[in-house]
Amino acid sequence: MTVKPSDQLPRKVRRQLRKGLARIEGRAGSRHEGIGFHVAMAATVHSGPSIEADATDITRDIRIALRRAAADALQYCEAFDLSEAQDVCARELSRRRFLPTHPPVEYSAFDVQVTLLPSDRAAAEKLLTAKRARTAQDAVRRQEWEARIAELSDPAAVLLLWLDQQSGEWADEKKAPDDKRLTAIADLFARYQPAERNGAEYALVEVVRQFLDSFADPAQKKMLYGLLAGGMEAAGRPLHADRARSLYQHFPAEAAGGMSSGTAR
């Protein structure tokens, strides 16, 4: 059996192949059930079949194979991202393929166009609108959760929540959770802070907070605030130092303990 390249095939066969492969159309599903792409392309034969081969059969088999290849390439693409679908499909169909004939027929597609028919376009727009609404709802819900978690990371907030849940007047102090229990609950919520709050800087802030909280005497706390302000001043951060000193007002006047402004510096 003699095998000739496509440019040596009889003129009639070449004409039949060009005509049959000039326009190939099909429908390929997307990752969204019920919404599909409309695919149009052309194909060319690179190595011709034997002279005895039926051009009609070759054309039909190439068209079927290319439609299936398009369906495989597009099945995971978003229906509302035509640019991505176009690039994925064009890249896949431009590869050279072979029909399992003897000898094999080599072919590839070109001028691949991926679009949505009006009904699929309307369905995709409706889906995108619903997805955006759901995303907005999820974002609001996550923000509410994160705010609630951040709030309950403070033992005082945990106690306040417990008090709010009690009926009548303030609950019996004997029934209230003790400091150890409140701290344990707050620490549990603190573990679930957003990722950006789990870095070294936030961890250091938490260490400083716990350190300051370990001093019960207001005079001692005020002295520590002064030391921090002095360190900020020495580091060339006067604005931060002033903000630290402004926190002095939260301590009772008698808690100064003889500390002068010079000590803070």
Side-chain angles (χ1 to χ4, degrees):
M1 181 178 297
T2 302
V3 179
K4 294 185 178 182
S6 58
D7 58 357
Q8 297 180 12
L9 289 173
R11 183 177 301 175
K12 180 180 179 181
V13 175
R14 295 202 307 269
R15 185 168 58 249
Q16 287 177 323
L17 290 173
R18 283 198 300 267
K19 182 179 179 181
L21 300 176
R23 179 74 174 179
I24 305 172
E25 296 185 64
R27 178 180 171 82
S30 69
R31 68 180 300 174
H32 310 291
E33 185 176 356
I35 303 178
F37 298 102
H38 179 261
V39 184
M41 73 195 86
T44 185
V45 173
H46 302 287
S47 61
S50 62
I51 294 178
E52 293 84 357
D54 188 335
T56 301
D57 291 342
I58 296 297
T59 300
R60 178 198 61 211
D61 292 344
I62 290 177
R63 293 166 68 93
I64 292 173
L66 287 175
R67 289 192 185 101
R68 290 178 177 175
D72 290 340
L74 293 171
Q75 62 179 323
Y76 300 112
C77 291
E78 299 278 1
F80 36 77
D81 191 352
L82 278 179
S83 297
E84 175 72 8
Q86 171 73 41
D87 292 341
V88 168
C89 191
R91 180 188 62 187
E92 180 63 22
L93 297 186
S94 66
R95 292 194 305 105
R96 293 197 175 192
R97 303 169 185 274
F98 297 89
L99 287 181
T101 58
H102 183 74
V105 176
E106 185 180 13
Y107 64 96
S108 65
F110 63 95
D111 195 20
V112 178
Q113 300 294 326
V114 179
T115 58
L116 290 173
L117 295 178
S119 59
D120 291 307
R121 186 182 302 110
E125 291 175 354
K126 185 176 181 180
L127 176 64
L128 181 58
T129 299
K131 184 175 182 179
R132 285 172 174 168
R134 185 170 61 252
T135 299
Q137 293 173 354
D138 291 344
V140 172
R141 185 163 58 250
R142 283 195 300 271
Q143 290 176 357
E144 292 175 347
W145 290 347
E146 291 174 0
R148 192 64 167 165
I149 288 172
E151 178 184 13
L152 294 177
S153 298
D154 185 342
V158 177
L159 178 59
L160 180 60
L161 177 63
W162 180 84
L163 291 172
D164 287 343
Q165 293 177 342
Q166 307 308 306
S167 58
E169 300 296 330
W170 281 52
D172 187 349
E173 292 184 0
K174 295 181 180 180
K175 296 181 180 180
D178 56 22
D179 291 346
K180 183 177 180 181
R181 178 59 175 164
L182 292 173
T183 301
I185 295 174
D187 288 344
L188 179 63
F189 280 103
R191 298 177 194 173
Y192 296 95
Q193 292 292 331
E196 64 272 13
R197 297 185 182 179
N198 291 332
E201 290 185 4
Y202 282 93
L204 178 59
V205 171
E206 181 61 20
V207 170
V208 173
R209 187 192 68 79
Q210 293 177 359
F211 173 72
L212 294 174
D213 193 54
S214 66
F215 291 87
D217 186 354
Q220 292 177 318
K221 287 189 176 183
K222 188 168 185 178
M223 181 186 67
L224 291 172
Y225 276 61
L227 291 174
L228 286 174
M232 294 173 181
E233 190 79 48
R237 301 295 187 271
L239 294 179
H240 293 84
D242 289 341
R243 290 174 62 184
R245 292 191 187 96
S246 69
L247 298 176
Y248 289 175
Q249 61 184 333
H250 297 291
F251 297 98
E254 63 272 12
M259 185 190 70
S260 64
S261 59
T263 304
R265 295 180 180 272

